Amino acid sequence: MMLAENFKNVTAQLAMACEKAGREPSSLSLLPVSKTFSAEVVAQAAQLGYRRFGENKAQELKQKAQELADLHLSWVIIGHLQTNKAKEVAKYADEIQSLDRLELAVALDKRLQQEGRSLDALIQVKTSTEESKTGMLPEEVPAFLDALKGFDTLRIKGFMTIAENSTDSQVVRECFRQVRELAEKMRQQTGLPLPVLSMGMSGDFELAIAEGATEVRIGSAIFGARHYPPSA
């Protein structure tokens, strides 16, 4: 099975990157990103022992969660989330890595209370200059963390970022460094453990691991080229 070979190759590459950074491979987790791939493909990955999967869109996450409900998988929303999609995330997701504004926290909290559930959450930090990238500016994070104390349904575990799309490794690495240093500062100021740094994807995970990522989000290196549906 090609999927099994891809997982094996990615796992080996992550282990090598950890070794190069002087880290134990056990200090890093892998989040397979299954966006645009079918529930059948996710089921194949589940047969290989993987239980958590990242999705960009709430509707796609909902569809796969419903189709694969008998597998009891854990779903993570990693894409920018509109507040009107909070209902799907509150019902079907176990984690959000793209929490980036108070309005969204309020919407999620309301829906989570209705569902009697809670979510692990990462604050998405914008470290790139690209307008297409979303997230909260680093200087906005302290006040946001303070405001989030009032939301029992959201368990803040750390930070996520998407680095600059650049061929300059120093530019990319600086994006990850910013978030690591922000996390260190916030731990000292708040006393929160904030153990998770979700940083790095298929093209830049080695740099992210060198800067302290605790989780990498890998899609194309595992599942292959994306199959985006045609525009309506």
Side-chain angles (χ1 to χ4, degrees), residues 23 27-31 52 95 97 121-123 125 156-162 175-187 193-201 205 208-217:
R23 297 177 52 183
S27 69
L28 182 76
S29 62
L30 166 64
L31 177 63
R52 290 174 71 241
E95 181 181 345
Q97 294 198 357
L122 303 184
I123 296 172
V125 182
I156 308 303
K157 299 295 186 179
F159 302 97
M160 182 269 264
T161 198
I162 302 172
C175 293
F176 300 136
R177 182 180 295 119
Q178 277 189 58
V179 176
R180 174 175 55 77
E181 292 176 348
L182 175 67
E184 291 169 354
K185 182 180 178 182
M186 290 301 96
R187 288 183 197 118
L194 303 171
V196 181
L197 294 180
S198 177
M199 310 191 301
M201 301 186 292
F205 63 77
I209 290 169
E211 285 297 335
T214 66
E215 179 168 277
V216 292
R217 309 178 303 276

Side-chain angles (χ1 to χ4, degrees), residues 25-37:
S26 60
S27 69
L28 182 76
S29 62
L30 166 64
L31 177 63
V33 177
S34 50
K35 67 176 185 180
T36 79
F37 289 93

Side-chain angles (χ1 to χ4, degrees), residues 18-148:
C18 284
E19 183 178 352
K20 186 176 179 181
R23 297 177 52 183
E24 290 293 328
S26 60
S27 69
L28 182 76
S29 62
L30 166 64
L31 177 63
V33 177
S34 50
K35 67 176 185 180
T36 79
F37 289 93
S38 67
E40 180 183 6
V41 172
V42 176
Q44 292 174 14
Q47 289 177 350
L48 297 172
Y50 294 89
R51 314 309 299 171
R52 290 174 71 241
F53 296 93
E55 290 287 338
N56 256 38
K57 297 184 180 297
Q59 190 61 35
E60 188 176 351
L61 183 153
K62 174 185 175 181
Q63 290 172 351
K64 290 177 188 174
Q66 289 177 334
E67 286 186 53
L68 302 173
D70 59 326
L71 296 181
H72 305 290
L73 301 177
S74 182
W75 298 97
V76 183
I77 189 81
I78 61 174
H80 180 68
L81 186 65
Q82 297 175 332
T83 53
N84 63 0
K85 297 297 183 182
K87 181 179 179 180
E88 288 92 337
V89 171
K91 188 174 181 66
Y92 295 103
D94 295 289
E95 181 181 345
I96 177 171
Q97 294 198 357
S98 51
L99 185 62
D100 62 356
R101 60 200 188 281
L102 191 57
E103 178 190 22
L104 179 57
V106 170
L108 284 169
D109 181 64
K110 178 182 177 181
R111 291 295 185 178
L112 286 164
Q113 287 191 48
Q114 292 172 0
E115 294 288 338
R117 301 183 71 231
S118 58
L119 283 183
D120 285 347
L122 303 184
I123 296 172
Q124 183 172 356
V125 182
K126 181 175 171 62
T127 55
S128 165
T129 59
E130 297 160 279
E131 288 187 14
S132 60
K133 300 278 173 67
T134 57
M136 174 167 285
L137 295 175
E139 58 266 29
E140 297 172 332
V141 169
F144 189 46
L145 268 175
D146 192 56
L148 289 173

